[in-house]
Amino acid sequence: MLDDFMVRAALAGIGLAVAAGPLGCFVIWRRMAYFGDATAHAALLGVALGLAFHISILAGVLVVSLGMALLFQNLTDRGTSADSALGVLSHGALAFGLVAIGLMSNVRIDPMSYLFGDILAVGTGELAVIWGGAAIIVGLLVARWSALLTTTLNPELAQASGLSPKREELVLTLALALIVAMAIQVVGALLITAMLIIPAAAARPAARSPEAMAIIAMIIGVAATLGGIFVSFAIDSPTGPTMVTVAAVIFALTTAASRLRG
Amino acid sequence: MTLVTLKDVSLGHGATPVLRNVNLSVDPGEIVTIVGPNGSGKSTLLKGIVGSIHPMSGSITLQKGISLGYVPQKLHIDPVLPLTVERFLRLAGGTTAQQAHDALRETAIEALAGQQMTELSGGQLQRVLLARALLNNPALLLLDEATQGLDQPGSARFYQMIADLRDKTGCAVLMISHELHVVMAASDRVICLNGHICCEGAPEHVASAPEYRALFGSGTQGALALYRHEHNHHHHDDHTHHDGCAHDA
């Protein structure tokens, strides 16, 4: 069954959506959308480094994404505003990545497949990476759930209850780098943040607790993935962007429904 | 045995300290109020005691195994985060539904358990935060301008609740306020802060101290007169002045 590229694509998308649902909730609760973008853009440079040094692309993406997060921390600690630090890092990393890929004349790769992903080309090895990564992310979030939420609400409150806000932030940074590395082939560097934010935002009107929001976001993400694959097959459109389109339509529907009700 | 002791503590966020050479301690059951103008280092002091920033010099010693209750100045909850009052209280590790319920009764807001945090009024939110702080039976309750945004009767009720809690549970309270005239009836000791400790002592003493007047002017005279009128039967005389106190005003 795993021979069928459609089945592999669906399983890859579901794995991503399961991890992106709860992680995406934290991204919007903590207003980290732009940070997610910067991490994703840096991934392109990671792809180039992975190819240049003959290490796995996954490792290259993880290293560069984490480096980006640390650099960001360092810049903002020294007084650069978060907004401009992210602006510089995000687009700087994207440009560096494109230049690096362009310079590698000996490797024939299409930057488009990393910018927009190529979910239909996912192999069984990558599928294992995606589900392994999803298990790690969901495991991390479940284990630290209350601590992460308390830190999100107020770092001093977390500190007073004996938690370390810095450690909890590191958990989220790690999870974000991991999901970017997993997702770059599925939806591509430009649309990873969309799969984090849109299902979570679409889940908000239907949820009355943080846990419900995370689970509903998972379900919406899975629906968008399957719907996107189906629609892209029917109208022959690029699959990654179609998944994001379906997610955006679901967001519009849940938001409109909550307006009508309330 | 003091609950917390600060020895020659300097605290700050960057290279320059906001607070210099602060010495203070809080005893069990005591209500200590810190007053001071904006930027005087009040919140920084509390953050140092909570442990979210480390002293640049000097030492902050908490009693071994002490449990702290912290009420932040404000809690901004993004409307994008759905959270009921009960769920918020139960975020504190190991809190049972019964404990959450008891804490809500303690702060007289049992009816709010199922309410979304973002739908609370300012006064209700402060009581929820206080309930959260009471969950682990704190020996020391830290309040950072907990009545910001409340009107004067609202703040007075809030401080009355704090005083009642202290009488009932015996916890010490260290709180920041800019409304000395509102909190003084409930305070045992007042510390006037402006980058360092300017003066400290019994509330009425601090209110009439030249250092305090220099910082806050005489805008609170009316309320102070009222206070004196109501409380002139017991006059505290235990107080200390610190030397080297320079003011711009």
Side-chain angles (χ1 to χ4, degrees):
Chain A
M1 192 182 84
L2 286 179
D3 292 343
D4 189 342
F5 72 95
M6 290 287 274
V7 172
R8 287 198 303 269
L11 287 176
I14 292 170
L16 178 63
V18 164
L23 185 57
C25 288
F26 278 104
V27 170
I28 64 173
W29 292 335
R30 299 178 61 94
R31 306 191 167 197
M32 293 167 75
Y34 208 8
F35 181 77
D37 253 351
T39 311
H41 289 174
L44 205 64
L45 184 59
V47 169
L49 289 180
L51 292 172
F53 293 106
H54 303 290
I55 52 173
S56 84
I57 289 178
L58 185 74
V61 170
L62 271 179
V63 167
V64 174
S65 297
L66 284 178
M68 217 287 314
L70 295 178
L71 204 57
F72 169 68
Q73 200 102 59
N74 195 282
L75 277 174
T76 46
D77 282 353
R78 282 159 201 272
T80 310
S81 83
D83 202 47
S84 49
L86 283 176
V88 170
L89 290 173
S90 170
H91 301 108
L94 184 62
F96 266 104
L98 287 170
V99 168
I101 287 178
L103 285 177
M104 293 193 306
S105 48
N106 55 333
V107 206
R108 283 198 311 154
I109 63 163
D110 178 10
M112 289 300 275
S113 69
Y114 291 104
L115 287 175
F116 294 108
D118 192 0
I119 192 173
L120 299 181
V122 168
T124 27
E126 286 139 339
L127 207 51
V129 167
I130 288 168
W131 276 92
I136 294 173
I137 290 172
V138 172
L140 266 178
L141 294 183
V142 168
R144 308 294 318 158
W145 187 260
S146 291
L148 284 168
L149 265 176
T150 309
T151 305
T152 297
L153 287 170
N154 184 297
E156 273 81 37
L157 202 63
Q159 188 93 38
S161 6
L163 301 168
S164 160
K166 283 239 181 297
R167 189 182 59 203
E168 307 309 331
E169 275 161 28
L170 187 66
V171 167
L172 288 179
T173 304
L174 271 170
L176 212 51
L178 196 57
I179 204 163
V180 165
M182 284 160 51
I184 191 159
Q185 189 172 14
V186 180
V187 283
L190 293 183
L191 291 177
I192 289 168
T193 328
M195 287 310 279
L196 283 168
I197 292 169
I198 300 177
R204 173 62 187 99
R208 278 189 59 83
S209 75
E211 296 75 21
M213 182 163 155
I215 290 168
I216 297 171
M218 269 188 197
I219 295 168
I220 291 177
V222 170
T225 301
L226 297 179
I229 291 174
F230 178 78
V231 170
S232 80
F233 188 70
I235 65 172
D236 193 22
S237 56
T239 312
T242 309
M243 284 160 50
V244 174
T245 310
V246 173
V249 169
I250 296 176
F251 170 80
L253 291 176
T254 60
T255 307
S258 79
R259 290 277 159 81
L260 286 178
R261 238 185 312 140
Chain B
M1 184 63 194
T2 58
L3 299 174
V4 58
T5 308
L6 280 74
K7 250 193 197 142
D8 295 321
V9 168
S10 294
L11 277 167
H13 295 284
T16 42
V18 179
L19 280 173
R20 278 164 284 112
N21 303 325
V22 172
N23 287 291
L24 76 88
S25 61
V26 179
D27 290 325
E30 206 183 7
I31 297 188
V32 181
T33 301
I34 301 171
V35 294
N38 289 337
S40 59
K42 303 186 298 277
S43 293
T44 308
L45 181 66
L46 234 50
K47 284 178 183 169
I49 295 174
V50 167
S52 62
I53 53 176
H54 298 289
M56 302 163 91
S57 63
S59 68
I60 298 175
T61 319
L62 286 165
Q63 191 187 66
K64 229 176 149 61
I66 192 174
S67 65
L68 297 177
Y70 175 73
V71 180
Q73 194 170 38
K74 54 178 183 276
L75 186 71
H76 173 77
I77 295 187
D78 204 294
V80 86
L81 174 57
L83 193 65
T84 61
V85 168
E86 190 188 355
R87 186 69 189 86
F88 170 71
L89 292 181
R90 299 194 59 188
L91 274 182
T95 307
T96 64
Q98 186 59 44
Q99 285 170 318
H101 182 77
D102 289 347
L104 288 175
R105 198 177 49 219
E106 203 78 65
T107 51
I109 43 168
E110 289 155 286
L112 299 179
Q115 197 100 346
Q116 288 288 318
M117 291 287 284
T118 46
E119 292 165 356
L120 300 178
S121 74
Q124 289 172 333
L125 182 61
Q126 280 324 120
R127 283 170 186 234
V128 170
L129 291 173
L130 181 60
R132 165 73 165 72
L134 293 175
L135 280 176
N136 50 348
N137 302 316
L140 177 59
L141 200 53
L142 303 160
L143 292 94
D144 188 353
E145 297 218 32
T147 58
Q148 222 185 29
L150 299 193
D151 58 12
Q152 203 151 315
S155 325
R157 274 198 301 276
F158 188 80
Y159 289 124
Q160 188 54 51
M161 178 175 278
I162 299 288
D164 293 346
L165 278 171
R166 188 270 309 260
D167 294 343
K168 207 166 132 193
T169 67
C171 70
V173 181
L174 180 61
M175 60 186 177
I176 291 175
S177 177
H178 54 263
E179 308 162 297
L180 181 57
H181 51 289
V182 182
V183 294
M184 60 194 306
S187 306
D188 299 321
R189 191 149 59 93
V190 174
I191 295 173
C192 179
L193 205 66
N194 190 23
H196 59 289
I197 294 178
C198 294
C199 56
E200 62 177 301
E204 188 176 88
H205 162 69
V206 169
S208 60
E211 292 90 343
Y212 177 80
R213 294 270 177 92
L215 285 173
F216 289 93
S218 48
T220 54
Q221 279 305 298
L224 288 179
L226 191 64
Y227 174 86
R228 287 211 184 92
H229 174 72
E230 287 173 346
H231 295 268
N232 57 8
H233 51 278
H234 62 88
H235 180 79
H236 296 279
D237 233 344
D238 52 318
H239 61 262
T240 35
H241 277 274
H242 291 259
D243 291 331
C245 209
H247 298 294
D248 302 331

